[in-house]
Structure formats: structure tokens, C-alpha cells
Amino acid sequence: MTLHTPPVPVLDDDERAALQRRTLTTIRIAQVPSQAAVAGMVAVVALLVGELIENDRLAGTGSAMFTLGSALVAVPLSGFMRRRGRRPGLVRAWTAASIGAFVAAMAGQVGSFPLFVVGMLAFGAGQAAALQGRFVAADLAGQDDRARAIGSVVWVGTLGAAFGPLLTPWERRVADAAGLEPLVGPFLFASVFFAISAVVVAVRLRPDPLVAAGLTDPDAQRVRPLRQVRNAAQVVATRPMAQLGLASMVVSQTAMVAVMTMTPPYMKDHDHSDLSAYVIALHIVGMYGFSPFVGRAVERIGRRASIMVGSVVLGAGTAISVVLGYSAPAVFVGLFLLGVGWSFGLVAGSTLLTESVPVETRVEVQGGGDLLMSLFGGAAAFASGFVKASFGFSTLAYAGSLLALAMLLYAMSNRREATAAA
């Protein structure tokens, strides 16, 4: 089966609407196993790293490498899509992630931390593909429907993302029954889940929505990633609303990843390790479950106002998780609100970034945005272990609240430009 997508004829309104429906259905189906893979990994990765290296300060390394891998893939992936379309890019990224998950599992089994790092870097390609999925939803959408289309794709990830952590106890038992280290079970299943996503896209994403929208250029010059990032930065630098959208994506991801990564070790410290999978599951429901409503809110109250709402909810979530000291119910509530705040920040920020730049630079800017978001998320994941070990989980949570406050103030300062754009 070839992954090359030939040009398609110009579509009339009915054909365009039909293709958009098929595209949304395909991306939604593919997101379910992909998000299950990622969420299941998140629930156990810090615990597995702890067993591999026995160093609490480095417990966030696994999540950091996963996020760094997503960052490294984001820009080349967007450039490849610009030339070839969404379908071949997504298939390659999810295939690489499947291989990476398997390598990480084998590394956990043999106790090789360096090999585990390599596997997690490739694993990150799956997150890069999932993030690009929200932009696939926007390729054929009209301006009035763009936020809802993005929100609908983010939402369907709930089905996989919520069940991913809930499946981890069973996956661990399956691995144990097979004579393997129990914590490698979720990584083996993640390999299968990513492969399913790749197959779904390879079979169903025809015609390619980016090609049908006229946004590909097969003859586009291959640009080095750093140059592509520089070109995208130049586009964003002259557009205040694009800057606001990008900032919303980055801040939401940074605060969310830092707190989420250290929540399982934090609960393990208080003998609630078995509850951490359920906390992560509820957190992910908050991230994805309300995104259709978030999309409608973005269309109704505007992009800037939605970013402000997300900042308030995110800041409240990080504060609630620690304001009473350690309390399992408070952690459940706080992580849920953290997920909802992230959803507002991501959907509103992605919509604003997409519509604030010229069409011919949109794909490259989207890739640059995902790169920056993933880099900051990776740095947050890596630093989170050091912060928790040195200053405590509460300091990490309050730092997330301060980031949310800074985002709120920045959004308020963009009132004039946002009012014109909303």
C-alpha cells in the first residue's frame, strides 16, 4: 500500500462537507487508541523510571524524553505534511511511536535506562501525531466551525485517554503472568495501540484533507528544521493574536505536564499508589471530556475570553491539589480542574494561532507551535522531579498557579487586538 496521496479535483461545497465528515470520523477513531497508549504510559512511567535508576530527582526523565521526542518530530512532521499531506505524515509518526513503545518495554524488562530513553524519544512521535490531529480537523473547516472541529477531535481522545490509565492494572497483570516485569505491560500495549492508529489513518484518510484544501506543495523546498522554526517565528512575531494563541498553548502544556508527571510519585509517598491511576484517568477526562463544550465556548465568548477562563481554572486546579496539605479527594478535584483548564488553553490557543497567520504559512506555524509547546512541556517534566525532591510537590503546584496567573494577565493585556479578532 502506497502512502502517496495524489492531487484531488476542486471540491464543491457538498463534497467538501462530506470529506470533512469522513476526515473527522477517521481522526476521531485514530485518536482513541493513540490516547490510550499515551495515558497508560503516563500512569506508570515515573514509577518505572524510579525502578530503573532509583533516583527521585530523575523520576520525570521518562516523561521529559517522551515530550522531547514529540518536540523533535513536530517540525519535520509538519514540513513533510506540507509536501505530502496529512495521511503519510500521521502514518509514519504513529508507526515510529509503535516501535518506540516496544523498545521502551524491552528496555524496562532488561533494566537498561539508556535504551529506555531511546524508546521514549520515539514514543513521543505518537504525541506529535495526536497533536497534529487537531489541526487536521481544521483543514477543511470554515472559520465559524474551526474551534468546534478542533474541540471534537480533542474530545474523542477521552475514550482512549480515560481508559488508558484504568487499563494499566490489567496490563501489568498480563505482563506479570507472561513472566515479564509488570510495569512494562502498558508499554507493550501502547505499541499495539499506536499501530492500530497508523492502520486506521492509512486505510481511511482518503482523499487527504490537506491536499483537498489546497494547502500542500509537493515541490516545496526541504527546509532545515531550525530554518522552518525561524520562518514560523518571523510570521508570529508580527501578529499579536498569534502570539497570544501560542502562549496559551505553551503555558497550559507546561503547567499541566509538570504537575501531572509528579502526581503518581506524590501519591505513592502517601501510600496511595493504587489510586494514582484513577487520578490520572479523571485528570484526562478533564483534559478531553469537555472539549466539545470548550469548542462551543470559544466560538461563543471569543478566543481571548476562553484563554482567560482556562487560566483561572488551571490555576485553581493546581492550587486546590495542595492547599489543604495532602488530601486524596483534593488531588482528584485539583487534577480534574487542571485538565479542564488545559483543554480551554489548548483549544482556544490552537484556534487563535491557526486563524491569525496567513494560509500559506499555517502548517509550518502549527508545527513550530507544537515544537515550542513540547519543548516547554519536556523541560517541565524533567525539572518536576528535581523541584518535588528539593522543595516538595506543593511548590511545584503553586508554580503552576503562578504560570496560570501570568497567562491571565497577558490575555487581559491583549484586550484591544483580541476584541478585533474574536
Side-chain angles (χ1 to χ4, degrees):
M1 180 186 346
T2 178
L3 294 180
H4 178 67
T5 306
V8 299
V10 176
L11 303 175
D12 61 31
D13 290 343
D14 290 340
E15 291 171 333
R16 187 182 183 94
L19 179 55
Q20 173 67 345
R21 288 193 296 270
R22 179 179 175 85
T23 297
L24 289 177
T25 299
T26 300
I27 292 301
R28 289 166 182 164
I29 294 171
Q31 289 280 31
V32 173
S34 174
Q35 293 295 353
V38 173
M41 176 275 296
V42 168
V44 300
V45 63
L47 303 178
L48 181 56
V49 170
E51 290 191 0
L52 288 174
I53 59 177
E54 298 182 353
N55 187 327
D56 290 343
R57 285 180 167 80
L58 294 176
T61 303
S63 293
M65 293 302 101
F66 156 73
T67 312
L68 178 60
S70 178
L72 294 175
V73 169
V75 171
L77 179 61
S78 66
F80 181 77
M81 288 179 173
R82 179 76 172 89
R83 296 188 300 274
R84 298 284 300 279
R86 299 292 192 187
R87 177 173 165 266
L90 292 176
V91 170
R92 289 191 178 194
W94 270 320
T95 300
S98 178
I99 296 171
F102 183 80
V103 170
M106 293 301 97
Q109 180 63 30
V110 302
S112 173
F113 181 67
L115 183 61
F116 181 76
V117 168
V118 172
M120 290 307 296
L121 286 170
F123 196 120
Q127 181 70 350
L131 289 173
Q132 282 293 314
R134 72 195 195 280
F135 292 130
V136 176
D139 287 338
L140 294 168
Q143 182 170 348
D144 294 339
D145 300 322
R146 191 170 291 133
R148 275 177 287 181
I150 291 174
S152 71
V153 169
V154 174
W155 170 81
V156 81
T158 308
L159 299 176
F163 283 105
L166 298 180
L167 288 173
T168 57
W170 175 78
E171 292 167 348
R172 292 168 69 169
R173 289 194 296 269
V174 170
D176 188 42
L180 301 174
E181 163 62 40
L183 287 175
V184 309
F187 292 88
L188 290 173
F189 279 91
S191 180
V192 176
F193 292 152
F194 281 137
I196 292 172
S197 295
V199 170
V200 168
V201 169
V203 172
R204 284 188 50 88
L205 201 61
R206 300 169 182 268
D208 191 294
L210 197 67
V211 176
L215 298 178
T216 56
D217 181 3
D219 300 320
Q221 182 181 4
R222 292 176 180 267
V223 179
R224 291 182 178 179
L226 288 179
R227 180 176 296 179
Q228 184 175 332
V229 171
R230 186 164 56 248
N231 293 342
Q234 290 172 349
V235 173
V236 173
T238 60
R239 293 166 172 82
M241 297 316 299
Q243 295 167 23
L244 177 60
L246 179 60
S248 178
M249 293 163 52
V250 170
V251 170
S252 299
Q253 182 78 356
T254 301
M256 184 275 293
V257 168
V259 176
M260 178 187 67
T261 299
M262 284 299 107
T263 296
Y266 174 55
M267 299 190 74
K268 182 181 179 181
D269 292 342
H270 296 273
D271 300 320
H272 282 160
S273 178
D274 291 341
L275 289 178
S276 62
Y278 300 101
V279 169
I280 296 300
L282 183 62
H283 165 69
I284 293 173
V285 168
M287 289 173 65
Y288 300 110
F290 293 90
S291 51
F293 304 102
V294 171
R296 292 188 181 95
V298 172
E299 299 292 354
R300 184 166 298 179
I301 68 176
R303 285 56 164 152
R304 183 186 69 92
S306 298
I307 290 171
M308 293 172 64
V309 169
S311 299
V312 171
V313 175
L314 191 151
T318 51
I320 287 172
S321 64
V322 294
V323 71
L324 299 177
Y326 179 77
S327 166
V331 174
F332 272 92
V333 173
L335 267 290
F336 172 74
L337 292 177
L338 175 64
V340 175
W342 175 88
S343 182
F344 268 95
L346 182 73
V347 173
S350 299
T351 303
L352 191 56
L353 179 67
T354 296
E355 65 191 18
S356 298
V357 298
V359 171
E360 62 272 14
T361 64
R362 183 175 294 169
V363 177
E364 287 83 357
V365 170
Q366 290 168 345
D370 281 354
L371 167 66
L372 197 61
M373 187 172 69
S374 296
L375 282 176
F376 273 82
F382 183 74
S384 63
F386 289 91
V387 174
K388 176 184 175 295
S390 300
F391 305 104
F393 183 80
S394 59
T395 298
L396 189 67
Y398 286 132
S401 298
L402 289 176
L403 277 176
L405 176 61
M407 188 66 242
L408 174 64
L409 296 175
Y410 178 44
M412 293 174 65
S413 72
N414 279 265
R415 181 184 302 271
R416 184 179 63 185
E417 293 88 348
T419 301

